[in-house]
Amino acid sequence: MTKTALVTGITGQDGAYLARALLERSYRVVGGYRRSASGGIWRLEELGVADKVEMRELELLDFPSLFELLSELKPYALFNLAAQSFVGTSFGQAISTSETNYLGLLRLLEIIRLVSPQTRFYQASTSEMFGHVRETPQKETTPFYPRSPYGVSKLAAHWAVVNHRESFGLHASSGILFNHESPLRGLQFVTRKITAQLAEVKHGHRDQVRLGNLSAKRDWGFAGDYVAAMIAMVEAETPDDYVIATGRTWTIRDFCRRAGERLGMDIAFEGEGEAERGIDRRSGRPVIAVDRAFFRPAEVDLLLGDPAKAAGRLGWRATTDLDGLVDMMAARDDARATLGPITA
């Protein structure tokens, strides 16, 4: 019998890669999306799966429609990827971020408990819950210390999953995913901003890239690898929470250098603080500038995950290194920029 998977946030980066992976495993994939959400289905189209996903309107804050959909589907698995997921935006939209990320999640758990307790549930948690890190590397037992409304909302949702698992016996797991990127990443996220805007600099569509804290360190992996861990969690006999990461960390400055190299630039950094800039030594042009507008009110300086538990219990390991990740992102944006300024 074909298993049904409901994926909220299907039009996002993770939703698209997850849909493709589930279809490859012969799941029936139902995708939940907000009509008001921007972006459309271009990611699903780019991966060649748009016509294979059953699309349903879904609003995490509307209990009756969620109840009706889950009562109808009673899915084998529900992957909750829907969220207000941009950290910077959350500082100005703390209440709406919390309503979507926490109360939306809570509605899903309560409806599953009431009408489909056999459904296996996956929650997209985040390394931003560690925030002002208490130990390095960060693992499942590391104390949380979120530094943004986004991180706080995701932490509340994370503990709701634990509570429903322990109180009601739901097969509910959370993936504490560290930064995961791809050519399908939104333009507002720093990695895609770097590859897209450097490609635009190369093709004459802009003068330079303006960034915030170049010294921030992140554990970056490929989203296409990470969705395999999501599936492994819902298919595991026992639910649990897992850190999903590469176990290596790099600065934003490192990412810029590698992206520049792939785009034919030799970027060297000079100056300090807000006066720092990146110069393409081949052209002599400044291509990267620091702009305080992109600093966070409360910065997260270092994120580095320990994926040992996922490796030991799920057999999962990241297979794409930073060079491979940056190469695929920069190559795709280079091709996009040949057609004009990049819009998606």
Side-chain angles (χ1 to χ4, degrees):
M1 183 176 178
T2 301
K3 296 176 180 176
T4 296
L6 173 60
V7 181
T8 72
I10 191 76
T11 60
Q13 167 192 258
D14 292 7
Y17 282 110
L18 178 60
R20 184 176 69 176
L22 289 167
L23 289 164
E24 289 171 350
R25 297 176 70 88
S26 299
Y27 276 80
R28 171 198 178 198
V29 180
V30 179
Y33 73 101
R34 295 181 64 190
R35 181 170 292 276
S36 61
S38 61
I41 61 170
W42 70 268
R43 294 178 175 90
L44 295 167
E45 292 173 335
E46 189 152 326
L47 294 182
V49 299
D51 61 342
K52 301 177 178 67
V53 175
E54 300 174 38
M55 300 294 286
R56 300 287 190 92
E57 285 187 56
L58 183 151
E59 171 54 66
L60 288 182
L61 301 184
D62 186 62
F63 190 93
S65 64
L66 289 178
F67 190 94
E68 183 177 353
L69 181 60
L70 284 167
S71 297
E72 173 198 340
L73 295 176
K74 292 185 168 59
Y76 170 81
L78 194 165
F79 297 85
N80 183 38
L81 309 183
Q84 190 302 97
S85 57
F86 188 46
V87 175
T89 297
S90 76
F91 286 99
Q93 299 178 13
I95 294 174
S96 62
T97 295
S98 296
E99 287 175 339
T100 298
N101 295 357
Y102 172 55
L103 294 179
L105 165 281
L106 195 57
R107 285 171 170 82
L108 288 174
L109 289 175
E110 283 293 281
I111 295 170
I112 287 173
R113 179 175 71 85
L114 293 171
V115 305
S116 188
Q118 76 283 356
T119 292
R120 297 182 172 214
F121 185 84
Y122 170 82
Q123 166 65 8
S125 287
T126 171
S127 58
E128 289 287 334
M129 300 186 307
F130 293 119
H132 187 40
V133 298
R134 304 290 86 189
E135 66 176 346
T136 300
Q138 294 88 55
K139 48 186 178 288
E140 293 79 5
T141 56
T142 300
F144 297 116
Y145 194 145
R147 298 266 283 171
S148 67
Y150 169 76
V152 171
S153 70
K154 281 291 194 174
L155 182 55
H158 180 83
W159 282 120
V161 172
V162 173
N163 181 256
H164 276 68
R165 180 173 67 225
E166 295 179 350
S167 299
F168 306 114
L170 297 185
H171 192 296
S173 301
S174 290
I176 307 173
L177 271 58
F178 280 62
N179 296 67
H180 48 292
E181 319 297 323
S182 78
L184 304 184
R185 193 60 145 151
L187 289 169
Q188 72 271 40
F189 293 91
V190 67
T191 52
R192 182 80 199 292
K193 178 179 180 180
I194 291 167
T195 59
Q197 293 191 9
L198 280 179
E200 290 179 330
V201 170
K202 174 182 175 178
H203 291 279
H205 304 310
R206 71 169 58 240
D207 294 329
Q208 60 183 204
V209 184
R210 305 189 72 81
L211 301 171
N213 180 11
L214 299 178
S215 297
K217 295 182 178 180
R218 294 294 184 268
D219 183 328
W220 281 301
F222 172 46
D225 290 343
Y226 285 32
V227 298
M230 301 178 191
I231 297 173
M233 284 180 225
V234 302
E235 292 185 344
E237 181 177 349
T238 304
D240 208 340
D241 306 321
Y242 293 90
V243 162
I244 304 300
T246 70
R248 302 185 68 186
T249 192
W250 309 85
T251 66
I252 291 175
R253 199 178 288 106
D254 294 328
F255 198 101
C256 290
R257 289 193 187 99
R258 185 69 189 95
E261 181 181 343
R262 177 60 182 77
L263 292 164
M265 302 175 189
D266 180 11
I267 298 177
F269 287 90
E270 61 180 36
E272 296 181 358
E274 293 180 54
E276 185 175 4
R277 60 182 185 165
I279 308 295
D280 175 16
R281 289 190 285 202
R282 291 173 182 161
S283 67
R285 295 172 54 200
V287 294
I288 294 173
V290 173
D291 187 336
R292 176 150 292 277
F294 297 109
F295 280 73
R296 296 183 183 183
E299 186 59 74
V300 174
D301 296 312
L302 167 66
L303 292 174
L304 172 62
D306 179 358
K309 181 178 174 181
R313 297 191 186 180
L314 301 176
W316 180 88
R317 290 177 177 80
T319 61
T320 306
D321 63 14
L322 184 76
D323 284 349
L325 173 64
V326 177
D327 285 354
M328 76 169 79
M329 293 178 66
R332 187 69 188 94
D333 279 327
D334 194 13
R336 289 170 174 139
T338 62
L339 304 175
I342 297 171
T343 59

